[in-house]
Amino acid sequence: MSSEWPLWEVFIRGQHGLNHRHVGSLHAPDAEMAVNNARDVYTRRNEGVSIWVVRSSEITASAPSEKGPLFDPSNSKVYRHPTFFDIPDEVGHM
Amino acid sequence: MYAQMVKTDAARVRSLDEMEPHERAFQERVDAGQKIEPKEWMPEGYRKTLVRQISQHAHSEIVGQLPEGNWISRAPTLERKAILLAKVQDEAGHGLYLYCAAETLGISRDQMYEQLHSGKAKYSSIFNYPTLTWADIGAIGWLVDGAAIMNQVPLQRCSYGPYARAMVRICKEESFHQRQGFDALARMVKGTPAQKAMVQDALNRWWWPSLMMFGPSDDASVHSAQSMAWKIKQNSNDELRQKFVDQTVPQAKYLGLTVPDPDLKWNEEKGGHDFGEPDWEEFFNVIAGNGPCNAERLDARKKAWSDGAWFRDGLTAHAEKAADRRAAAKIAAE
């Protein structure tokens, strides 16, 4: 046997109330060890209150080459933004 | 610098007009300060050079644990021992961040280990010197980590996203490393004459190898010019060396130490120090594998890898068994 341990992506919740954020990756034989290793590497200085790990091979990502078709269509839709509308001053905060 | 003399495969740096459309678009993004991410198109030379540079950097972090590990069990106090242990653990983490960054370029972790163990991949020349006294541990933090910071701070802005992000994490911790070294020495120079002499001796032995970390002058190097065009190197070796000397000399003075360079003196006109030339013959010898500890370091890494094989295999077998058991339980439940 000399198969390489699978790669895991590590997500850490920095503080209560925040989203988990991708911080990096590591190799581990299983999910439990991945959490242990993530704790040892990525939370050595109070960086987190919760850890998620997911096998890198389980992530589906959009292709960089599809950036245009995926994201360009929303560029022309200014009406989706609250700042698009004129609210009269007399109306006050809305 | 933890990566020294990284080759780029370039014969010369080409202008935008000479590039194919793909490469030209790539170079324009780099020029505009955009980050390149793993799955995006990149020139093969860029990919290969980054693999060399990042893996060399990672190997340096890992091999760099060995000279310091030597003193964990011999630290003078429990406090110093805890600090040193934390630092050496950090180095393992730095190696891991960097290996992961290199893996995004299509090389596997095992391949990188194999290249280190076979001698194909290099690590920084500095880790081939022995740590003879406790003062050497302070000197490594102060000088070696100090020199590494000079190089790593600008790398936080390098063009390759995963490498730049790894550098941000590393730089946060390096400041702890340098300060703990300086602090250890600052305590010793206030001690007995013998302790102060020990610190001076450590500076005498580590000064020149630290200056060599930046590598020989690369002002005329095509590899350096190409790496700068790709923004995976930001400053010339001489520039960083000058910065390091200018920063470190006043600190040595504060400690009451003498920098072992008869040519060292302040140059008012250039606003920096003039200093002597390191012994580049020694440098090339160490790089070629003939430094005082090259064989010992590599043997220690190879031994750690082969001694750990049963453990890695055991955890893999356990993980497979547990996965099979879960699958069987799921079928039974259905």
Side-chain angles (χ1 to χ4, degrees):
Chain A
M1 266 197 295
S2 64
S3 56
E4 209 166 287
W5 288 345
L7 191 66
W8 302 76
E9 299 302 323
V10 180
F11 300 80
I12 307 268
R13 187 199 297 283
Q15 290 170 40
H16 288 292
L18 296 183
N19 287 321
H20 283 77
R21 226 180 118 190
H22 184 244
V23 292
S25 44
L26 50 77
H27 288 272
D30 56 27
E32 192 189 345
M33 284 303 295
V35 169
N36 284 342
N37 292 351
R39 187 208 62 159
D40 288 348
V41 179
Y42 290 107
T43 62
R44 283 166 51 69
R45 292 180 173 84
N46 308 319
E47 288 98 335
V49 294
S50 159
I51 299 172
W52 286 351
V53 294
V54 58
R55 272 175 99 127
S56 309
S57 59
E58 298 292 319
I59 290 180
T60 307
S62 65
S65 57
E66 287 168 10
K67 211 169 86 185
L70 280 178
F71 306 116
D72 284 354
S74 67
N75 281 348
S76 58
K77 298 175 178 60
V78 286
Y79 49 84
R80 290 177 175 174
H81 295 274
T83 45
F84 174 77
F85 305 97
D86 282 328
I87 303 295
D89 285 345
E90 305 91 284
V91 172
H93 179 73
M94 184 179 284
Chain B
M1 174 161 184
Y2 278 3
Q4 294 162 325
M5 306 181 66
V6 178
K7 294 214 168 75
T8 59
D9 298 341
R12 64 188 181 83
V13 181
R14 294 181 307 147
S15 70
L16 284 175
D17 296 335
E18 298 170 272
M19 293 176 185
E20 299 293 323
H22 255 64
E23 187 176 358
R24 190 184 165 138
F26 168 88
Q27 187 62 50
E28 282 170 347
R29 287 186 56 206
V30 170
D31 291 344
Q34 287 184 25
K35 296 278 184 245
I36 307 301
E37 296 296 342
K39 299 251 163 78
E40 293 170 345
W41 186 89
M42 61 186 79
E44 189 54 17
Y46 177 83
R47 195 188 67 78
K48 276 192 182 160
T49 305
L50 270 176
V51 167
R52 279 188 206 119
Q53 182 172 335
I54 301 173
S55 65
Q56 200 185 112
H57 198 155
H59 296 325
S60 298
E61 301 284 356
I62 298 302
V63 177
Q65 294 180 104
L66 298 172
E68 295 184 296
N70 186 37
W71 281 87
I72 292 175
S73 60
R74 297 164 215 191
T77 66
L78 187 57
E79 184 196 11
R80 292 288 171 197
K81 181 176 178 161
I83 292 170
L84 182 58
L85 191 56
K87 179 187 190 281
V88 174
Q89 286 172 336
D90 281 350
E91 307 295 2
H94 295 182
L96 180 142
Y97 308 152
L98 289 161
Y99 280 130
C100 284
E103 281 173 78
T104 63
L105 293 158
I107 187 169
S108 76
R109 184 77 63 95
D110 283 2
Q111 278 174 305
M112 283 186 275
Y113 287 153
E114 203 278 316
Q115 289 179 353
L116 173 67
H117 298 158
S118 72
K120 189 183 168 224
K122 302 287 180 211
Y123 55 87
S124 177
S125 56
I126 194 74
F127 300 118
N128 291 310
Y129 291 87
T131 42
L132 304 178
T133 70
W134 172 249
D136 287 14
I137 298 305
I140 288 182
W142 175 39
L143 300 172
V144 175
D145 290 293
I149 290 171
M150 285 290 156
N151 166 52
Q152 292 178 156
V153 165
L155 277 177
Q156 294 179 100
R157 290 179 280 111
C158 87
S159 63
Y160 190 56
Y163 193 26
R165 291 190 286 272
M167 257 338 131
V168 171
R169 298 188 63 84
I170 288 174
C171 283
K172 274 189 204 158
E173 296 175 351
E174 288 291 3
S175 145
F176 153 62
H177 295 177
Q178 193 186 14
R179 284 175 185 206
Q180 65 83 32
F182 184 81
D183 183 68
L185 296 184
R187 190 80 61 91
M188 281 183 88
V189 295
K190 285 187 204 133
T192 64
Q195 285 173 320
K196 190 173 174 187
M198 198 182 266
V199 177
Q200 180 63 54
D201 171 61
L203 175 60
N204 293 347
R205 283 181 291 108
W206 289 94
W207 176 256
W208 292 109
S210 298
L211 294 197
M212 290 177 203
M213 284 175 71
F214 299 98
S217 179
D218 60 354
D219 290 344
S221 158
V222 65
H223 300 305
S224 182
Q226 179 62 74
S227 289
M228 284 194 185
W230 281 332
K231 293 200 180 156
I232 54 179
K233 180 181 171 85
Q234 317 265 359
N235 310 86
S236 78
N237 294 348
D238 284 334
E239 238 178 293
L240 293 172
R241 190 170 12 248
Q242 179 73 51
K243 242 177 119 179
F244 174 73
V245 169
D246 290 339
Q247 178 191 284
T248 311
V249 167
Q251 296 168 354
K253 204 172 160 192
Y254 175 87
L255 293 174
L257 302 173
T258 310
V259 174
D261 178 358
D263 298 326
L264 182 76
K265 67 169 193 289
W266 177 253
N267 181 332
E268 188 64 49
E269 208 172 304
K270 82 170 178 187
H273 291 84
D274 290 333
F275 54 95
E277 195 69 25
D279 179 354
W280 293 114
E281 201 183 316
E282 174 183 321
F283 171 79
F284 286 113
N285 246 318
V286 174
I287 289 272
N290 306 318
C293 300
N294 292 60
E296 188 187 329
R297 301 288 184 242
L298 215 49
D299 284 348
R301 284 314 310 156
K302 283 193 269 196
K303 184 172 183 305
W305 182 246
S306 51
D307 285 357
W310 68 271
F311 182 70
R312 294 191 301 275
D313 291 347
L315 286 183
T316 303
H318 173 75
E320 281 167 1
K321 254 186 177 167
D324 288 349
R325 239 180 274 137
R326 270 197 307 274
K330 204 176 160 199
I331 292 167
E334 274 165 6

